[in-house]
Amino acid sequence: MSTIFSKIINKEILANIVYEDDLVLAFKDITPQAPIHIIIIPKVTDLKTLNDINEKHITVLGHIVFVAIKIAKSEGISENGYRIVMNCNADGGQSIFHIHLHLLGGREMNWPPG
Ligand code: 5GP
């Protein structure tokens, strides 16, 4: 599976990377929906959607949530609050089929979401 996110992992296309380790990569969304909008992805490329997750992915999934929280703190949005979103398939609004987590903050969020 190759998506634009694989190309970002492989540094074939540029992204504004804010965090990287062996398991995950985090970078600014190209079309931000909030003052802070960061995408966090696992580096494994066998996860197109949340539906592909099985027990062997639990560690990496926990890790992307942990990294999102660390970034929220470093970006200074943890006290006011933020939102973490993972879209799945068409009704969920997923457009890139490499699972990813959105970290959104820096403004008050609406509920229910659109
Ligand atoms: P989805 O709709 O799949 O949940 O989210 C995909 C996100 O990836 C969108 O918010 C979109 O703006 C972002 N995105 C798509 N292509 C690129 C890209 O080339 N670079 C970056 N940094 N973000 C991208």
Side-chain angles (χ1 to χ4, degrees):
M1 176 187 69
S2 184
T3 66
I4 198 98
F5 288 175
S6 307
K7 292 190 168 70
I8 291 174
I9 292 170
N10 295 328
K11 312 283 166 38
E12 290 161 19
I13 66 163
L14 281 179
N16 194 333
I17 293 171
V18 298
Y19 178 88
E20 180 168 18
D21 64 27
D22 289 348
L23 293 178
V24 310
L25 186 68
F27 50 90
K28 293 188 178 176
D29 197 291
I30 204 166
T31 314
Q33 302 300 316
I36 306 288
H37 186 172
I38 292 165
I39 300 285
I40 300 123
I41 62 173
K43 286 187 172 175
V44 290
T45 55
D46 61 336
L47 293 172
K48 290 184 185 172
T49 82
L50 288 172
N51 296 329
D52 296 322
I53 286 167
N54 63 46
E55 284 179 0
K56 78 174 192 224
H57 302 113
I58 288 172
T59 301
V60 74
L61 280 171
H63 197 64
I64 60 175
V65 173
F66 180 65
V67 166
I69 293 163
K70 267 180 33 171
I71 295 171
K73 287 179 179 166
S74 68
E75 293 284 340
I77 57 173
S78 57
E79 290 304 315
N80 280 348
Y82 52 88
R83 184 167 292 171
I84 281 174
V85 173
M86 295 183 86
N87 297 324
C88 182
N89 278 336
D91 279 3
Q94 184 174 6
S95 61
I96 306 281
F97 288 86
H98 176 134
I99 70 160
H100 52 279
L101 180 151
H102 297 254
L103 169 67
L104 296 143
R107 67 167 171 83
E108 191 174 344
M109 300 292 149
N110 301 314
W111 194 262

